[in-house]
Amino acid sequence: MPGPFEEVVRAHGATVLRVCRAVVGPHDAQDAWAETFLAALRAWPTLEPGVNVEAWLVTIARRKAVDVWRATRRRAVPVGDLPDAPTRDAYRDLDLWGALATLPDKQRHAVALHHLAGLPYADVAAELGGSVEAARRAAADGVATLRRTAPRWWSDEEGDAPAADKERGGRR
């Protein structure tokens, strides 16, 4: 049996939450996070020694997040009065979830697993089913689509340089 489960939650909780947020958005991420660690806790005593715990948890997180996403798609959402016009954020029109939600599932999951969870492409490929090259391509296509379709996410108000580059004085 591996070590204390509390240490695992402390060490990998933030990564699992990032994956959940990328897949289901900020509103349902906590539910997916909790479901992930409940499932992991049940399987913890039988976990084989030497298993990559982070990759194991990310796999569970992605699957639980997809389950939560499917469940929320089936639920009716009550709405009150709609505003006359959408409100605009002065700094960004889109948040990360809004930008990621525009991607096809495979690209969104590849971006989440590699760029947000930090998994190597081999683990992403194993999780998504396919080759390492296909996982790399899906992540690259996802990032390219985000840069093309959500330019305000990637650039400042004038659109001439990424906001992060401006903070560093224009250096890349």
Side-chain angles (χ1 to χ4, degrees), residues 8-154:
V8 172
V9 174
R10 225 176 283 119
H12 303 292
T15 301
V16 169
L17 186 59
R18 281 194 303 271
V19 170
C20 293
R21 282 183 181 154
V23 175
V24 298
H27 301 293
D28 295 320
Q30 290 291 337
D31 292 339
W33 184 91
E35 290 293 326
T36 297
F37 282 107
L38 282 174
L41 181 60
R42 287 186 198 110
W44 188 247
T46 60
L47 191 65
E48 297 291 324
V51 169
N52 180 342
V53 175
E54 185 176 43
W56 176 70
L57 286 170
V58 166
T59 300
I60 295 170
R62 182 180 158 275
R63 291 178 181 160
K64 291 298 180 182
V66 167
D67 291 347
V68 167
W69 179 77
R70 287 178 181 152
T72 58
R73 303 268 305 192
R74 291 185 208 116
R75 250 185 266 142
V77 178
V79 295
D81 295 334
L82 296 176
D84 292 335
T87 58
R88 295 178 62 104
D89 184 355
Y91 300 105
R92 291 192 178 141
D93 287 339
L94 299 174
D95 62 357
L96 180 58
W97 164 242
L100 285 169
T102 65
L103 296 177
D105 285 344
K106 191 165 190 169
Q107 289 179 10
R108 184 173 66 246
H109 293 279
V111 168
L113 293 172
H114 180 71
H115 293 286
L116 297 176
L119 292 183
Y121 285 114
D123 291 345
V124 174
E127 177 61 29
L128 296 179
S131 67
V132 173
E133 292 78 20
R136 186 181 306 272
R137 176 81 281 157
D141 289 348
V143 169
T145 300
L146 289 173
R147 286 185 174 149
R148 199 174 47 256
T149 61
R152 299 208 25 138
W153 176 260
W154 300 100

